[in-house]
Amino acid sequence: MQVGDAEFREVEKHKISPKIVTSTIPAHSVFIFLLTVVLTALVVELLPPNCTYWDWATNEFILPESVPTYAVYGKSPNEEHLLHVAKVLQRLGYKRVALQNEWDLLWAHDYPFFKMTNRLKDLTNQQIVNHVPGCGFITNKVDLSTNELTFLPKAFRLPSQREDFLNYAQKSPNALFVQKHNEHRHILIRPVKDINLQSSDTFVQEFVQKPFLVDGYKFDIGVYVIVTGIDPLRLYIYTGDVLFRYCSVKYYPFNASNIDSYVVGDDYLPTWQVPSLVKYYEHLDGNMRDSFDAYVRDQYSDPSIIWLQVEGIIRETVLAKEQQIAGILRSYKNLNFFELMRFDFIIDEDLRVYLMEANMSPNLSSGHFKPNALLYEQILYSAFSLVGVSSLVRGTLSERSHDVQEMITSAKNVATNLNICTKHGCNRFCNSDYCNLCLPCLTGSEYEILKRTHREHLHRASMKRVFPKPILNPENFDIEAEVQNMTKRNAWLTRWFYYKCLYDNSWCY
Ligand SMILES: *[C@@H]1O[C@H](CO)[C@@H](O)[C@H](O)[C@H]1NC(C)=O
Ligand SMILES: *[C@@H]1O[C@H](CO)[C@@H](O)[C@H](O)[C@H]1NC(C)=O
Ligand SMILES: *[C@@H]1O[C@H](CO)[C@@H](O)[C@H](O)[C@H]1NC(C)=O
């Protein structure tokens, strides 16, 4: 206290009695001084803002106010559908740059790997792209629909499976069929004789009759799905809400010529206009999924069986295509890719779920339905958090140095299963299979995968892990049976989650 007072008085004294400068200053010194000031100001002004400089006033280095950047790739000059992407990125501190510049994130609306092949094969460790090369195996309608998976309505590729189709149609006289094209959405139920069997890039699909209806309206549901890694697979779904789109015309009396009664168009009926859902969605502020679930319970049914099927279908679909995608990925150096898709489903009267399609770049425009803006921005927020585009740590992705990375996820967070590792001597030799999750035995890329997986788990926001599968009951979980049919790498990652889950059950799901 006393010392402080003394100091204070010292300072005051200086203020009160400044030294009086009596010597005269030559005019040219003043001129040189002024010139220096002006030149310094000019140089500081002209310097690019992104470099470190010494601030003479405070005697310290000023670090650049650098911001992370993103670029957009898309064929359409109209960017209305990217409005919410731009908004969310701006809020996360991102600045948009031209495609040819250096960027941290590439947001591509169209599949970018044909046009930008060389650049995307040569990503730096800090760059990330919102598509996975080869994801077309999932999102191509013909490829997907003509798979033999139980949850896909029966479909035939034209013209190659023409004979199979005609046989099937003959055996199932009550079946109805729609013809679909890869590129556009013209769908209409047609009699078999009116189907163009020669048309290429199309397929015929059996129409699911007796759909589950809400107030008489058929609907489809869109679940947002994100893939963050392939081989081993890391797959999540967005749980904050689900997009429900109702047909604008009642389904019965059924009339195959009235397409608006069974195909969801751009002008669909939103949840807030479906009479029985208004009270849940508007008055009680439920979301689309909760409003629907409440309606299903009102009909004395259990909606949870729908969501269990949905998760299973998403998992099976992506697993069925994983090895094909992995094949494409082999020619890429860095695997900083993620894929945000929307899987569209329909439900029949018995609450059986069918997968209709998977969309590669789901439309995130709220142009037509303003209330969807919140849904889209929340999805993006969760997705960016999960993949590390948004960060609580300031700076561009490349400035997040080793220490910063370690602060988020280090070897100690990744290590697991310590007793088994020592029992099999994995701290000395790695030849036992039991060692393949022990830290000294991991390859560099395996270690990176586990670090990324760990970081995703920490930042998953409203994303729920779908693969590796959540472990609901660790005590009764048979890990050997679980991994029995998996690829080696998927089994490896599934085990890692299992061991993490045994240590701490926040890792089970
Ligand atoms: C079926 O729908 C079409 C197109 O909306 C309409 O022209 C036709 O009259 C309808 N048929 C019946 C029987 O209602
Ligand atoms: C996206 O949706 C908006 C409004 O719902 C629509 O106007 C636009 O045409 C759609 N864009 C694409 C590329 O489908
Ligand atoms: C693995 O495959 C076998 C044979 O196809 C099957 O019986 C078994 O149920 C499968 N196990 C799992 C966990 O899917």
Side-chain angles (χ1 to χ4, degrees):
M1 197 61 185
Q2 278 188 342
V3 177
D5 274 351
E7 270 175 7
F8 178 71
R9 267 183 243 113
E10 273 297 307
V11 176
E12 284 301 285
K13 238 187 325 192
H14 282 291
K15 272 195 189 163
I16 294 161
S17 53
K19 277 199 187 114
I20 294 153
V21 183
T22 47
S23 59
T24 50
I25 302 164
H28 69 270
S29 303
V30 174
F31 179 72
I32 288 172
F33 173 75
L34 284 176
L35 193 69
T36 317
V37 168
V38 169
L39 279 178
T40 311
L42 258 177
V43 168
V44 168
E45 194 58 31
L46 292 178
L47 272 180
N50 275 352
C51 67
T52 310
Y53 65 94
W54 181 258
D55 185 334
W56 295 99
T58 58
N59 277 351
E60 62 181 359
F61 274 113
I62 303 298
L63 293 174
E65 191 58 56
S66 62
V67 292
T69 54
Y70 75 100
V72 169
Y73 172 82
K75 290 180 193 142
S76 152
N78 177 352
E79 295 197 344
E80 214 235 63
H81 53 285
L82 295 176
L83 179 74
H84 296 294
V85 175
K87 272 192 179 172
V88 174
L89 285 172
Q90 190 195 3
R91 288 172 198 156
L92 296 175
Y94 274 70
K95 194 178 88 183
R96 180 165 173 181
V97 295
L99 195 58
Q100 60 272 18
N101 290 30
E102 290 300 314
W103 35 257
D104 295 304
L105 162 70
L106 177 67
W107 185 272
H109 185 74
D110 300 295
Y111 189 77
F113 298 100
F114 297 133
K115 279 256 170 73
M116 297 178 64
T117 321
N118 291 338
R119 250 186 114 183
L120 298 180
K121 281 195 172 167
D122 213 21
L123 292 180
T124 67
N125 289 332
Q126 285 76 31
Q127 290 181 302
I128 187 162
V129 178
N130 74 328
H131 289 289
V132 177
C135 66
F137 286 113
I138 301 172
T139 55
N140 179 293
K141 284 189 218 170
V142 180
D143 272 359
L144 176 66
S145 302
T146 51
N147 265 272
E148 294 284 335
L149 294 167
T150 53
F151 45 78
L152 291 167
K154 192 89 189 143
F156 302 88
R157 191 188 283 265
L158 291 180
S160 57
Q161 295 180 310
R162 182 172 164 271
E163 292 305 321
D164 294 344
F165 166 59
L166 291 173
N167 283 337
Y168 182 82
Q170 203 172 17
K171 280 194 211 126
S172 344
N174 294 325
L176 299 175
F177 296 94
V178 291
Q179 184 162 23
K180 293 185 176 179
H181 196 275
N182 239 343
E183 301 302 323
H184 46 74
R185 304 183 52 194
H186 292 303
I187 300 164
L188 189 65
I189 294 177
R190 293 175 200 278
V192 174
K193 67 177 171 45
D194 288 355
I195 286 175
N196 177 357
L197 299 171
Q198 303 309 329
S199 166
S200 59
D201 255 353
T202 69
F203 61 105
V204 271
Q205 190 174 48
E206 184 168 359
F207 179 73
V208 177
Q209 301 183 50
K210 302 201 176 139
F212 185 86
L213 304 175
V214 176
D215 290 343
Y217 297 105
K218 185 186 164 179
F219 56 90
D220 73 358
I221 63 183
V223 176
Y224 292 86
V225 173
I226 188 163
V227 171
T228 60
I230 290 282
D231 193 33
L233 177 66
R234 299 195 306 280
L235 177 66
Y236 302 80
I237 58 172
Y238 177 70
T239 58
D241 204 353
V242 164
L243 182 69
F244 275 79
R245 304 181 300 178
Y246 297 83
C247 289
S248 54
V249 173
K250 290 201 180 190
Y251 189 74
Y252 292 115
F254 185 71
N255 174 353
S257 312
N258 196 346
I259 192 165
D260 289 334
S261 67
Y262 61 89
V263 175
V264 173
D266 284 339
D267 214 9
Y268 63 86
L269 197 66
T271 293
W272 51 94
Q273 285 172 12
V274 179
S276 293
L277 302 182
V278 173
K279 59 179 179 294
Y280 295 125
Y281 187 88
E282 293 282 358
H283 306 161
L284 298 171
D285 236 338
N287 63 25
M288 291 186 233
R289 174 183 156 172
D290 291 342
S291 304
F292 169 81
D293 282 0
Y295 175 87
V296 174
R297 285 190 208 98
D298 286 344
Q299 315 301 309
Y300 307 104
S301 287
D302 176 9
S304 67
I305 65 169
I306 295 173
W307 304 113
L308 265 177
Q309 290 176 74
V310 163
E311 275 182 34
I313 291 174
I314 292 170
R315 185 163 43 235
E316 263 194 67
T317 305
V318 179
L319 280 171
K321 302 290 185 178
E322 188 195 9
Q323 288 314 307
Q324 285 171 290
I325 300 175
I328 302 277
L329 273 173
R330 258 170 227 130
S331 62
Y332 287 79
K333 189 181 84 186
N334 272 307
L335 302 183
N336 300 335
F337 302 115
F338 67 94
E339 187 76 41
L340 175 65
M341 295 172 281
R342 194 190 68 220
F343 276 54
D344 291 344
F345 301 91
I346 56 169
I347 304 171
D348 75 9
E349 273 179 352
D350 305 321
L351 300 189
R352 184 168 166 191
V353 179
Y354 295 86
L355 174 63
M356 301 313 289
E357 60 183 58
N359 299 284
M360 181 178 84
S361 285
N363 192 341
L364 298 173
S365 159
S366 62
H368 197 49
F369 294 110
K370 294 281 175 267
N372 285 346
L374 179 69
L375 169 69
Y376 299 149
E377 291 185 5
Q378 291 193 330
I379 290 166
L380 288 166
Y381 176 78
S382 280
F384 288 148
S385 174
L386 178 75
V387 301
V389 161
S390 61
S391 170
L392 301 173
V393 183
R394 281 167 54 121
T396 66
L397 298 182
S398 58
E399 282 161 12
R400 295 182 201 158
S401 62
H402 177 74
D403 287 353
V404 173
Q405 303 289 351
E406 288 287 293
M407 173 179 82
I408 300 169
T409 292
S410 76
K412 298 213 178 301
N413 304 115
V414 166
T416 185
N417 206 21
L418 307 184
N419 300 96
I420 301 265
C421 289
T422 50
K423 188 170 156 209
H424 294 274
C426 307
N427 41 341
R428 284 171 286 123
F429 305 105
C430 293
N431 26 18
S432 161
D433 267 356
Y434 289 100
C435 296
N436 67 10
L437 280 168
C438 306
L439 259 272
C441 300
L442 295 181
T443 66
S445 74
E446 285 170 346
Y447 181 53
E448 280 309 311
I449 289 168
L450 293 184
K451 279 207 322 191
R452 248 182 105 173
T453 307
H454 179 269
R455 199 191 61 202
E456 284 169 8
H457 183 83
L458 293 185
H459 301 103
R460 64 198 191 282
S462 293
M463 295 293 175
K464 175 185 178 184
R465 197 177 82 227
V466 171
F467 191 90
K469 222 163 136 184
I471 299 166
L472 298 180
N473 192 346
E475 281 76 38
N476 298 332
F477 190 77
D478 185 349
I479 181 71
E480 300 309 327
E482 183 68 25
V483 302
Q484 159 193 5
N485 299 340
M486 285 183 190
T487 64
K488 211 170 157 206
R489 281 166 73 86
N490 282 339
W492 173 77
L493 193 62
T494 300
R495 262 182 217 280
W496 183 76
F497 271 109
Y498 174 65
Y499 294 138
K500 292 291 284 181
C501 161
L502 291 183
Y503 276 30
D504 171 359
N505 68 11
S506 72
W507 284 86
C508 302
Y509 37 82

